[in-house]
Amino acid sequence: MTRDQLFATPRERVDDFNFGHDTAAVFDDMLGRSVPFYDEIQRMTAEIAGEFAQEGSSLFDLGCSTGTTLALLDPVCPPDVKFVGVDNSADMLEKADEKLKACGLTRPYELRLQDLQDVTLENASVVVMTLTLQFLRPLHRQRLMDEIARATRPGGCFILVEKLVLQDPLLNRMYIKHYYAMKQRRGYSDLEISQKREALENVLIPYRFEENRAMALGAGFTGFETFFRWYNFCGMVAVK
């Protein structure tokens, strides 16, 4: 696994964060070091998905990146569940295809190069979005949520993992402070943290928990609960 050093060198200008070739090359390390309890979130996602995956249906990973989630979901789903990974980065999908082949995935799967604002789903029993919705422009989020709910079978679920913003500014600042301290413990320098924060400023737009819940229930899901929480990181599941 290539170590993430994308922001280790001082830059005169920090461009907006993107998911191109350089990011794809280090993305697995980036997630492992930047996301608290990332492995546990993935394990819990697999457990929940296994409870809802229905025979003869499709499982969608929207913003599938390098395919880590799909690879972990393979053992817990019925063998005739089709896996569909969607991402707008060809570099990420290339990594995902390599990973799925390397792990011996034999079930039918498809990797789609597509912007999520234009995605159409079908026959879904499980839809997963891990730290992805926050990168979609707010203008398009409700439409995507409506599409997910429409395409999800009765008895299916939508698993959403996001960074959140808090309504209380004091707690919001405190949570972020301790999140950056975690990144420092995992080897990121102050420069790396600062430059990545600047790169994400206009790209990653988090919602409050209540906003995500309102979108899901408004789209037609009948339940919405938290399954993971660490400061400003939250795992949520909606059921239909």
Side-chain angles (χ1 to χ4, degrees):
M1 184 186 301
T2 305
R3 188 172 177 82
D4 172 25
Q5 295 182 313
L6 287 183
F7 296 95
T9 303
R11 305 182 183 186
E12 290 186 8
R13 172 182 173 180
V14 179
D15 295 325
D16 285 349
F17 188 87
N18 69 79
F19 294 92
H21 178 270
D22 291 344
T23 303
V26 302
F27 199 60
D28 287 350
D29 180 69
M30 179 185 292
L31 287 177
R33 293 167 61 210
S34 298
V35 179
F37 295 96
Y38 180 68
D39 290 343
E40 182 66 10
I41 292 171
Q42 291 283 21
R43 188 191 65 79
M44 295 173 77
T45 296
E47 287 178 341
I48 295 168
E51 296 285 343
F52 288 92
Q54 302 174 12
E55 294 182 357
S57 69
S58 294
L59 182 151
F60 288 85
D61 185 358
L62 304 182
C64 66
S65 63
T66 65
T68 297
T69 303
L70 291 175
L72 292 172
L73 292 174
D74 184 41
V76 303
C77 295
D80 64 346
V81 172
K82 179 183 178 181
F83 282 6
V84 183
V86 183
D87 207 285
N88 66 356
S89 168
D91 296 292
M92 290 289 187
L93 291 179
E94 182 179 348
K95 293 281 186 183
D97 197 36
E98 293 172 359
K99 185 176 292 183
L100 295 180
K101 289 175 178 174
C103 76
L105 192 79
T106 57
R107 72 175 62 247
Y109 75 89
E110 177 186 356
L111 298 175
R112 298 180 183 174
L113 179 63
Q114 191 173 26
D115 288 332
L116 293 184
Q117 65 194 52
D118 302 319
V119 74
T120 300
L121 314 181
E122 63 282 334
N123 190 34
S125 61
V126 178
V127 179
V128 178
M129 292 188 77
T130 303
L131 301 169
T132 301
L133 187 61
Q134 60 200 20
F135 288 100
L136 188 66
R137 290 180 60 196
L139 175 68
H140 302 297
R141 292 184 193 182
Q142 186 65 61
R143 192 214 73 83
L144 176 59
M145 192 73 76
D146 291 344
E147 175 62 15
I148 292 169
R150 181 201 63 76
T152 300
R153 288 179 171 188
C157 79
F158 171 48
I159 301 170
L160 175 67
V161 180
E162 289 279 279
K163 288 175 73 173
L164 300 178
V165 64
L166 277 68
Q167 188 166 354
D168 186 309
L170 174 64
L171 292 177
N172 196 62
R173 289 193 299 271
M174 184 184 75
Y175 284 13
I176 292 171
K177 179 184 76 172
H178 289 303
Y179 169 54
Y180 290 156
M182 183 215 75
K183 294 185 72 171
Q184 289 174 325
R185 293 194 299 271
R186 294 183 175 182
Y188 284 111
S189 66
D190 290 341
L191 175 66
E192 289 174 289
I193 293 170
S194 174
Q195 291 192 145
K196 187 175 182 183
R197 180 177 63 238
E198 186 175 348
L200 288 170
E201 186 173 1
N202 298 316
V203 179
L204 192 163
I205 303 173
Y207 272 5
R208 291 182 290 109
F209 172 83
E210 294 80 8
E211 291 175 297
N212 285 305
R213 184 177 186 273
M215 278 197 302
L217 296 180
F221 287 103
T222 56
F224 189 88
E225 295 292 344
T226 298
F227 68 88
F228 172 88
R229 187 70 189 260
W230 186 93
Y231 288 132
N232 54 333
F233 283 78
C234 189
M236 299 158 273
V237 58
V239 296
K240 186 176 178 183

Coordinates of all heavy atoms in Angstrom, one line a residue, residues 123-178:
N123 N -33.6 -2.3 -8.9 CA -33.7 -3.6 -8.2 C -32.7 -3.7 -7.1 O -32.1 -4.7 -6.9 CB -33.5 -4.7 -9.2 CG -33.8 -6.1 -8.6 OD1 -34.7 -6.2 -7.8 ND2 -33.1 -7.1 -9.0
A124 N -32.6 -2.7 -6.3 CA -31.6 -2.6 -5.2 C -32.2 -3.2 -3.9 O -33.4 -2.9 -3.6 CB -31.1 -1.2 -5.0
S125 N -31.5 -4.0 -3.2 CA -31.8 -4.4 -1.8 C -30.9 -3.7 -0.8 O -31.3 -3.4 0.3 CB -31.8 -5.9 -1.6 OG -30.5 -6.4 -1.8
V126 N -29.7 -3.3 -1.3 CA -28.8 -2.6 -0.4 C -28.1 -1.5 -1.3 O -27.6 -1.8 -2.4 CB -27.7 -3.5 0.2 CG1 -26.7 -2.7 1.0 CG2 -28.3 -4.6 1.0
V127 N -28.0 -0.3 -0.8 CA -27.3 0.8 -1.4 C -26.3 1.4 -0.3 O -26.7 1.6 0.8 CB -28.2 1.9 -1.9 CG1 -27.3 3.0 -2.5 CG2 -29.2 1.4 -2.9
V128 N -25.1 1.5 -0.7 CA -24.0 2.0 0.3 C -23.4 3.3 -0.2 O -23.1 3.4 -1.4 CB -22.9 0.9 0.5 CG1 -21.9 1.4 1.4 CG2 -23.5 -0.4 1.0
M129 N -23.2 4.2 0.6 CA -22.5 5.4 0.3 C -21.6 5.7 1.5 O -22.0 6.1 2.6 CB -23.4 6.6 0.1 CG -24.2 6.5 -1.2 SD -25.1 8.1 -1.6 CE -23.7 9.1 -2.2
T130 N -20.3 5.5 1.3 CA -19.3 5.7 2.4 C -18.5 6.9 2.1 O -17.7 6.9 1.2 CB -18.4 4.4 2.5 OG1 -19.2 3.3 2.7 CG2 -17.4 4.6 3.7
L131 N -18.8 8.0 2.9 CA -18.1 9.3 2.8 C -18.1 9.8 1.4 O -17.1 10.2 0.8 CB -16.6 9.1 3.3 CG -16.5 8.6 4.7 CD1 -15.1 8.2 5.1 CD2 -17.0 9.7 5.7
T132 N -19.3 9.7 0.8 CA -19.5 10.1 -0.6 C -20.5 11.2 -0.8 O -20.3 12.2 -1.6 CB -19.9 8.9 -1.5 OG1 -18.9 7.9 -1.4 CG2 -20.1 9.3 -2.9
L133 N -21.6 11.1 -0.1 CA -22.7 12.1 -0.3 C -22.2 13.5 0.0 O -22.6 14.5 -0.7 CB -23.9 11.8 0.5 CG -25.1 12.6 0.3 CD1 -25.7 12.4 -1.1 CD2 -26.2 12.2 1.4
Q134 N -21.3 13.7 0.9 CA -20.7 15.0 1.3 C -20.0 15.7 0.2 O -19.8 16.9 0.2 CB -19.8 14.8 2.5 CG -18.6 13.9 2.2 CD -18.0 13.4 3.5 OE1 -18.6 13.3 4.6 NE2 -16.7 12.9 3.4
F135 N -19.6 14.9 -0.9 CA -18.9 15.5 -2.0 C -19.9 15.9 -3.2 O -19.4 16.5 -4.1 CB -17.8 14.5 -2.6 CG -16.6 14.4 -1.7 CD1 -16.5 13.3 -0.8 CD2 -15.6 15.4 -1.7 CE1 -15.4 13.2 0.0 CE2 -14.5 15.3 -0.9 CZ -14.4 14.2 0.0
L136 N -21.1 15.5 -3.0 CA -22.1 15.8 -4.0 C -22.7 17.2 -3.7 O -23.0 17.5 -2.6 CB -23.2 14.8 -4.1 CG -24.2 14.9 -5.2 CD1 -23.6 14.6 -6.5 CD2 -25.4 13.9 -4.9
R137 N -22.8 18.1 -4.7 CA -23.3 19.4 -4.5 C -24.7 19.3 -3.8 O -25.5 18.5 -4.2 CB -23.4 20.2 -5.8 CG -22.1 20.6 -6.4 CD -22.3 21.3 -7.7 NE -23.1 22.5 -7.5 CZ -23.7 23.2 -8.5 NH1 -23.6 22.8 -9.8 NH2 -24.4 24.3 -8.3
P138 N -25.0 20.1 -2.8 CA -26.2 20.0 -2.1 C -27.5 20.1 -3.0 O -28.5 19.5 -2.7 CB -26.2 21.2 -1.1 CG -24.7 21.4 -0.8 CD -24.0 21.0 -2.1
L139 N -27.3 20.8 -4.1 CA -28.4 21.0 -5.1 C -28.9 19.6 -5.6 O -30.1 19.5 -5.9 CB -28.0 21.8 -6.2 CG -28.9 22.0 -7.4 CD1 -30.1 22.8 -7.0 CD2 -28.2 22.7 -8.6
H140 N -28.0 18.6 -5.6 CA -28.4 17.3 -6.2 C -28.7 16.2 -5.2 O -29.0 15.1 -5.6 CB -27.2 16.9 -7.1 CG -26.9 17.8 -8.2 ND1 -27.8 18.2 -9.2 CD2 -25.7 18.5 -8.5 CE1 -27.2 19.0 -10.0 NE2 -26.0 19.3 -9.6
R141 N -28.5 16.5 -3.9 CA -28.6 15.4 -2.9 C -30.0 14.8 -2.8 O -30.1 13.6 -2.7 CB -28.0 15.9 -1.6 CG -26.5 16.2 -1.7 CD -25.9 16.6 -0.3 NE -24.6 17.1 -0.5 CZ -23.8 17.5 0.5 NH1 -24.2 17.4 1.8 NH2 -22.6 18.0 0.2
Q142 N -31.0 15.7 -2.7 CA -32.3 15.1 -2.5 C -32.7 14.3 -3.7 O -33.4 13.3 -3.5 CB -33.3 16.3 -2.3 CG -34.7 15.8 -1.9 CD -34.8 15.0 -0.6 OE1 -34.5 15.5 0.5 NE2 -35.2 13.7 -0.6
R143 N -32.4 14.8 -4.9 CA -32.8 14.0 -6.1 C -32.1 12.6 -6.0 O -32.8 11.6 -6.4 CB -32.3 14.7 -7.4 CG -32.9 14.0 -8.7 CD -32.0 14.1 -9.8 NE -30.9 13.2 -9.7 CZ -30.9 11.9 -10.0 NH1 -32.1 11.3 -10.5 NH2 -29.9 11.1 -9.9
L144 N -30.8 12.5 -5.6 CA -30.2 11.2 -5.5 C -30.8 10.4 -4.4 O -31.1 9.2 -4.6 CB -28.7 11.4 -5.2 CG -27.9 10.1 -5.0 CD1 -28.0 9.2 -6.2 CD2 -26.5 10.5 -4.6
M145 N -31.2 11.0 -3.3 CA -31.8 10.2 -2.2 C -33.2 9.7 -2.7 O -33.6 8.6 -2.4 CB -32.0 11.1 -1.0 CG -32.4 10.4 0.2 SD -31.1 9.4 1.0 CE -30.1 10.7 1.8
D146 N -33.9 10.5 -3.5 CA -35.2 10.1 -4.0 C -35.0 8.9 -4.9 O -35.8 7.9 -4.9 CB -35.9 11.2 -4.8 CG -36.3 12.3 -3.9 OD1 -36.4 12.2 -2.7 OD2 -36.6 13.4 -4.5
E147 N -33.9 8.9 -5.7 CA -33.7 7.8 -6.7 C -33.3 6.5 -5.9 O -33.7 5.4 -6.3 CB -32.5 8.2 -7.6 CG -32.1 7.1 -8.6 CD -33.1 6.6 -9.5 OE1 -34.2 7.3 -9.7 OE2 -32.9 5.5 -10.1
I148 N -32.5 6.7 -4.8 CA -32.1 5.5 -4.0 C -33.3 4.9 -3.4 O -33.5 3.7 -3.4 CB -31.1 5.9 -2.9 CG1 -29.8 6.4 -3.6 CG2 -30.9 4.8 -1.9 CD1 -28.8 7.0 -2.6
A149 N -34.2 5.7 -2.8 CA -35.4 5.2 -2.2 C -36.3 4.5 -3.2 O -36.9 3.5 -2.9 CB -36.1 6.3 -1.4
R150 N -36.5 5.2 -4.3 CA -37.3 4.6 -5.4 C -36.9 3.2 -5.8 O -37.7 2.3 -6.0 CB -37.4 5.5 -6.6 CG -38.3 5.1 -7.7 CD -37.9 5.7 -9.1 NE -36.6 5.3 -9.5 CZ -36.3 4.1 -10.0 NH1 -37.2 3.2 -10.2 NH2 -35.0 3.9 -10.4
A151 N -35.6 3.1 -6.0 CA -35.0 1.8 -6.5 C -34.8 0.7 -5.5 O -34.6 -0.4 -5.9 CB -33.7 2.1 -7.2
T152 N -34.9 1.1 -4.2 CA -34.7 0.1 -3.1 C -36.0 -0.8 -2.9 O -37.1 -0.2 -2.7 CB -34.3 0.8 -1.8 OG1 -33.1 1.5 -2.1 CG2 -34.1 -0.3 -0.7
R153 N -35.8 -2.1 -2.9 CA -36.9 -3.0 -2.7 C -37.5 -2.8 -1.2 O -36.7 -2.4 -0.3 CB -36.5 -4.4 -2.8 CG -36.1 -4.9 -4.2 CD -35.7 -6.4 -4.0 NE -35.6 -7.1 -5.3 CZ -35.3 -8.4 -5.4 NH1 -35.2 -9.1 -4.3 NH2 -35.2 -8.9 -6.6
P154 N -38.8 -3.1 -1.0 CA -39.3 -3.2 0.3 C -38.4 -4.2 1.1 O -38.1 -5.3 0.6 CB -40.7 -3.7 0.2 CG -41.1 -3.2 -1.2 CD -39.8 -3.3 -2.1
G155 N -38.1 -3.9 2.3 CA -37.2 -4.7 3.1 C -35.7 -4.5 2.9 O -34.9 -5.2 3.5
G156 N -35.4 -3.5 2.0 CA -34.0 -3.2 1.7 C -33.5 -2.1 2.6 O -34.2 -1.5 3.4
C157 N -32.3 -1.7 2.4 CA -31.7 -0.6 3.2 C -30.7 0.3 2.4 O -30.2 -0.1 1.4 CB -31.0 -1.2 4.5 SG -29.3 -1.9 4.2
F158 N -30.5 1.4 3.0 CA -29.5 2.4 2.5 C -28.5 2.7 3.7 O -28.9 3.1 4.7 CB -30.2 3.7 2.0 CG -29.2 4.8 1.7 CD1 -28.1 4.6 0.9 CD2 -29.5 6.1 2.2 CE1 -27.3 5.7 0.6 CE2 -28.6 7.1 1.9 CZ -27.5 6.9 1.1
I159 N -27.2 2.4 3.4 CA -26.2 2.6 4.5 C -25.4 3.8 4.1 O -24.8 3.9 3.0 CB -25.3 1.4 4.6 CG1 -26.1 0.1 4.9 CG2 -24.2 1.6 5.6 CD1 -25.3 -1.2 4.8
L160 N -25.3 4.8 5.0 CA -24.7 6.1 4.7 C -23.7 6.4 5.8 O -24.0 6.4 7.0 CB -25.8 7.2 4.7 CG -25.3 8.7 4.5 CD1 -24.7 8.9 3.1 CD2 -26.5 9.6 4.7
V161 N -22.4 6.7 5.4 CA -21.4 7.1 6.3 C -20.9 8.5 5.9 O -20.6 8.7 4.7 CB -20.2 6.1 6.3 CG1 -19.1 6.6 7.3 CG2 -20.7 4.7 6.7
E162 N -20.9 9.4 6.8 CA -20.6 10.8 6.5 C -19.9 11.5 7.6 O -20.0 11.1 8.8 CB -21.9 11.6 6.2 CG -22.7 11.2 5.0 CD -22.1 11.9 3.7 OE1 -22.4 13.1 3.5 OE2 -21.3 11.3 3.0
K163 N -19.2 12.5 7.3 CA -18.8 13.5 8.3 C -20.0 14.5 8.5 O -20.7 14.7 7.5 CB -17.6 14.3 7.8 CG -16.3 13.6 7.8 CD -15.1 14.4 7.2 CE -14.6 15.4 8.1 NZ -13.4 16.1 7.6
L164 N -20.1 14.9 9.7 CA -21.3 15.8 10.0 C -20.8 17.1 10.5 O -19.7 17.3 11.0 CB -22.1 15.2 11.1 CG -22.8 13.8 10.8 CD1 -23.5 13.3 12.1 CD2 -23.7 13.8 9.6
V165 N -21.6 18.1 10.3 CA -21.4 19.4 10.9 C -22.4 19.5 12.1 O -23.5 19.0 11.9 CB -21.5 20.6 9.9 CG1 -22.9 20.7 9.4 CG2 -21.1 21.9 10.6
L166 N -22.0 20.1 13.2 CA -22.9 20.2 14.3 C -23.5 21.6 14.4 O -22.9 22.6 14.0 CB -22.1 20.0 15.6 CG -21.9 18.5 16.0 CD1 -21.0 17.8 15.1 CD2 -21.4 18.4 17.5
Q167 N -24.7 21.7 14.9 CA -25.4 23.0 15.0 C -24.7 23.8 16.1 O -24.7 25.0 16.0 CB -26.9 22.7 15.4 CG -27.7 24.0 15.3 CD -29.2 23.7 15.4 OE1 -29.6 22.6 15.3 NE2 -30.0 24.8 15.5
D168 N -24.2 23.2 17.1 CA -23.5 23.9 18.2 C -22.1 24.2 17.8 O -21.3 23.3 17.6 CB -23.5 23.1 19.5 CG -23.0 23.9 20.7 OD1 -21.8 24.4 20.6 OD2 -23.6 23.9 21.7
P169 N -21.7 25.5 17.5 CA -20.4 25.8 17.0 C -19.2 25.4 18.0 O -18.1 25.1 17.6 CB -20.4 27.3 16.8 CG -21.5 27.8 17.6 CD -22.5 26.7 17.7
L170 N -19.5 25.5 19.3 CA -18.5 25.1 20.3 C -18.1 23.7 20.2 O -16.9 23.3 20.1 CB -18.9 25.5 21.7 CG -18.0 25.0 22.8 CD1 -16.7 25.7 22.8 CD2 -18.7 25.2 24.2
L171 N -19.1 22.8 20.1 CA -18.9 21.4 20.0 C -18.3 21.0 18.6 O -17.5 20.1 18.5 CB -20.2 20.6 20.2 CG -20.8 20.7 21.7 CD1 -22.1 19.9 21.8 CD2 -19.8 20.0 22.7
N172 N -18.8 21.7 17.6 CA -18.3 21.5 16.3 C -16.8 21.7 16.2 O -16.0 20.9 15.7 CB -19.0 22.4 15.3 CG -18.8 21.9 13.8 OD1 -19.2 20.8 13.5 ND2 -18.2 22.7 13.0
R173 N -16.3 22.8 16.8 CA -14.9 23.1 16.8 C -14.1 22.1 17.6 O -13.0 21.7 17.3 CB -14.6 24.5 17.3 CG -15.0 25.7 16.4 CD -14.5 27.0 16.8 NE -15.0 27.4 18.2 CZ -16.1 28.1 18.4 NH1 -16.8 28.4 17.4 NH2 -16.4 28.4 19.6
M174 N -14.7 21.7 18.8 CA -14.0 20.7 19.6 C -13.9 19.4 18.9 O -12.8 18.8 19.0 CB -14.8 20.5 20.9 CG -14.2 19.6 21.9 SD -15.2 19.3 23.4 CE -16.4 18.2 22.7
Y175 N -14.9 18.9 18.3 CA -14.9 17.6 17.6 C -13.8 17.7 16.5 O -13.0 16.7 16.3 CB -16.2 17.3 16.9 CG -17.3 16.8 17.9 CD1 -17.1 16.9 19.3 CD2 -18.5 16.3 17.4 CE1 -18.1 16.5 20.1 CE2 -19.4 15.8 18.3 CZ -19.2 15.9 19.7 OH -20.2 15.5 20.5
I176 N -13.8 18.8 15.7 CA -12.8 18.9 14.6 C -11.4 18.9 15.2 O -10.4 18.3 14.7 CB -13.1 20.1 13.8 CG1 -14.4 19.9 13.0 CG2 -11.9 20.4 12.8 CD1 -14.8 21.2 12.3
K177 N -11.2 19.6 16.3 CA -9.9 19.7 17.0 C -9.4 18.3 17.3 O -8.2 17.9 17.1 CB -9.9 20.5 18.2 CG -8.6 20.6 19.0 CD -8.7 21.4 20.3 CE -9.4 20.6 21.4 NZ -9.3 21.3 22.7
H178 N -10.2 17.5 17.9 CA -9.8 16.1 18.3 C -9.7 15.2 17.1 O -8.9 14.3 17.1 CB -10.8 15.5 19.3 CG -10.8 16.2 20.6 ND1 -9.6 16.3 21.4 CD2 -11.7 16.9 21.4 CE1 -9.8 16.9 22.5 NE2 -11.1 17.3 22.5

